[in-house]
Amino acid sequence: MSKAARPKNALSKIRNIGIIAHIDAGKTTLTERILYYSGRIHRMGEVHEGTATMDFMPEEQERGITIGSACTTCEWDGHTINLIDTPGHVDFTIEVERSLRVLDGAVGVFCAVGGVEPQSETVWRQSEKYDVPKIVFINKMDRIGADFEAVLESMKERLRITPLVLQVPVGAGDEFEGVIDVIGMRFLVFDAASRGEDFEARALSPEQEELASQWREALFDVLSEQSDEILELYMNGEDIPRELLDATIRKATLERTLVPVLAGSALKNTGIQPVLDAVCAYLPGPQDVPGQKGRNVHGVKIETVCDPKEPLEALVFKVSLETGHKLVLLRVYSGTLEAGQMVYNASQKKDERAAHLYTLHADRKTKIEQAVAGEIVAVAGLKFAKTGDTLSAKDAPVQLENIESYRPVISLALEPRNTEERNKLEEVLESLLLEDPTLAAKIDEETEQLVLSGMGELHLDVVLDRIRREFKIDPRVGNPQVVYQESVTKTAQGEATFDRELGDTEHYGAVTLTVEPLERGAGQHIRLGFEPVGWPEAWIDAATEGIEDALQSGVVRGYPVRDVRIRIDELGRMDGKSSTVGYHMAAAEALKLALTNASPCLLEPIMKVEVSVPDEFVGEVISLLGAKGAKIENMFDKHGQKLVQAFAALRQLFGFSTELRSATQGRAGMLMQFDRFDVLG
């Protein structure tokens, strides 16, 4: 750890961006080049060698993939760029989700061969949910089979966007030479001897000029629809000032009506500096995006103002534990946070002390004295903070909108070898759950085993690797099991009375309630069906808590109940005996009865499966999917292969990848991702 002065740039000169893409599209390689060319590092590492700066976890270095989102800061052209490199694998989608929640802009990376692949489509949709403006870098133009225009078409078709081509590649595969700057009408050539650090802008050859002119005309056609001034100059054949073009492109990018597109090869060190220029020129600063929505202590909706002089409002988006020490990553949306300052955790309703502040560079920290609105920093000393918590000023508490959570779909039973190891394992799991909201752990009441649940087999494999490597615990591991949920298929009522003496105190409560089904993904909703005048708030709260507790264990097989609405119709009282305990117990029993009467059902994880396969093996794939009970949704041609899309229950898919390789002689590729909990109809 070091302590250093850092430039205090104006908010307009700050860029909080993420790198998002499908697995193996080249995100981390691009990030490595950005850090090198900006002077943040002095030696480029490579993902395939396990030396990439941002892949600092041993599990990442061994597997050659990004698992945890990693933060860094660099300087470019007078701008401070706070950059987050996110994972591409679907099992770690929470890392993308919580990063996008706090970012202002993003660079989408697409492979020039693969185009818009399934997970790149997923992360793009995630970014759209948070209204994140983006630019695109079409990477790997040096790969055999690279097709720039095919990627543009797949972007239009699958992402429903309008690409704005600012650069076009010259050649592809082994014949890839460089890129043409369409606006400047220049050929950019990157020097291999300097690892791309030196590049020159050359005049276009006649063939290059012919190619560039077509794209330049298309660019002006699109921009003319965005600006009357450009339309008039273009129609009159007059030169269009670069400042006007950049301003129009920036405005359209921020409004998400256009997506600027650049091209190159990160591995071959070609086209990276123009990406940095585009980040500074076209992506938003903290003041260019709408404020965050939340509620104050009175429940009134508010929106943050990105101003260091306003009251503090910050959102925790990640928690990590380093050698037992808790480090909290947060985005400051409003106000100023000082090292040593007492803050109010509005989510936990507790005071906390931000003992130390840091900027991050992968796994290295630099101590700073304060963080202002618009910045992303790490904080040590926060005892209670969890992912999604809001930190605010005590005299102006605010609760910002939380980060969307994901429900685990697969579980493993862990058996420690002795009592000492069990106690240590329980402590370790408690720490890991604090870091990763998509993990869950519980003790099976029947077997007394520790059950660990996560987003997929790879997710759990990585967690087990960490348990063994970092904490030196090696429990026995059971076979993967599917995590289910429960719901109901019709409306029903339940009524229960609790009347019992506990200790020396009599407790009474009577509750009548109704449960009804909701659409998939709606969650749980509890409301009152009567006017609560004259009823103590504590009794109503106790009944609500009893329902919430009972929803954690359904009546079919004891799984959590989802996608239901519960209406508390009536409470009964008995003077001198009614109590919070009575209403809590009565509500739980009434819900169990209502669930039993409402035709309960089991919901299982439904996975979206995409198989890319040569034509001669399509029959085998269809047959294999049919044997797994899958519903085939679509099949179309893509890059000379068939892409088969289907939905299947997770319980049917264990071992599917091995069977697929065998059936297709290893020539099929597959992506499987969670879609929903449902009954596969």
Side-chain angles (χ1 to χ4, degrees), residues 21 27 36 63 71 147 153 159 197 205 213 242 252 258 272 351 355 374 393 396 460 542 549 575-576 651 664 675 679:
K27 299 180 306 300
Y36 181 72
R63 298 169 189 266
C71 304
D147 189 332
E153 286 305 312
L159 304 180
E197 192 167 3
S205 68
S213 295
R242 179 64 188 252
L258 298 176
I272 311 304
D351 293 318
L460 293 180
D549 288 347
D575 291 342
R651 61 183 164 81
T664 62
D675 186 71
V679 178

Side-chain angles (χ1 to χ4, degrees), residues 536-550:
E537 188 176 339
W539 292 359
I540 295 173
D541 289 345
T544 302
E545 289 170 7
I547 292 169
E548 290 172 345
D549 288 347

Side-chain angles (χ1 to χ4, degrees), residues 182-208:
V182 175
I183 295 179
M185 293 295 279
R186 308 174 302 165
F187 178 39
L188 305 181
V189 181
F190 295 80
D191 178 43
S194 68
R195 305 191 72 181
E197 192 167 3
D198 299 326
F199 68 98
E200 61 175 317
R202 297 177 183 172
L204 300 178
S205 68
E207 295 83 1
Q208 291 171 349

Side-chain angles (χ1 to χ4, degrees), residues 269-300:
N269 312 310
T270 300
I272 311 304
Q273 293 92 330
V275 173
L276 283 165
D277 291 338
V279 165
C280 298
Y282 307 131
L283 290 182
Q287 290 180 315
D288 297 319
V289 296
Q292 291 293 304
K293 292 178 172 58
R295 293 181 183 272
N296 65 17
V297 69
H298 304 295
V300 177

Side-chain angles (χ1 to χ4, degrees), residues 373-440:
E375 295 189 316
I376 293 174
V377 294
V379 183
L382 299 173
K383 293 182 180 179
F384 308 108
K386 297 179 181 178
T387 298
D389 282 2
T390 302
L391 304 182
S392 62
K394 183 68 180 285
D395 57 354
V398 165
Q399 178 91 46
L400 299 177
E401 288 183 355
N402 208 329
I403 296 172
E404 183 171 328
S405 60
Y406 286 80
R407 300 191 290 260
V409 298
I410 188 171
S411 64
L412 292 169
L414 305 181
E415 293 185 3
R417 300 177 190 280
N418 52 54
T419 303
E420 182 183 350
E421 188 176 89
R422 183 185 183 90
N423 293 337
K424 187 176 180 183
L425 181 59
E426 288 179 1
E427 291 177 10
V428 167
L429 290 177
E430 188 177 340
S431 299
L432 293 174
L433 264 60
L434 183 64
E435 286 189 318
D436 187 347
T438 59
L439 278 177

Side-chain angles (χ1 to χ4, degrees), residues 88-145:
H89 197 284
V90 65
D91 280 16
F92 309 106
T93 192
I94 184 63
E95 294 287 339
V96 182
E97 185 82 29
R98 58 186 177 183
S99 297
L100 287 170
R101 175 69 168 78
V102 298
L103 294 173
D104 300 325
V107 179
V109 182
F110 295 97
C111 172
V113 180
V116 180
E117 296 170 281
Q119 183 62 5
S120 52
E121 187 174 356
T122 298
V123 296
W124 193 276
R125 301 280 181 230
Q126 284 176 293
S127 72
E128 286 294 288
K129 181 169 65 178
Y130 293 115
D131 300 329
V132 177
K134 294 167 287 292
I135 63 174
V136 161
F137 179 63
I138 297 179
N139 190 25
K140 302 190 179 184
M141 283 305 308
D142 60 308
R143 287 265 306 274
I144 294 173

Side-chain angles (χ1 to χ4, degrees), residues 233-254:
L233 292 170
Y234 180 47
M235 295 300 290
N236 293 333
E238 299 178 43
D239 288 338
I240 304 172
R242 179 64 188 252
E243 294 77 14
L244 176 59
L245 290 171
D246 281 345
T248 305
I249 294 170
R250 177 178 173 79
K251 181 175 181 291
T253 304
L254 298 192

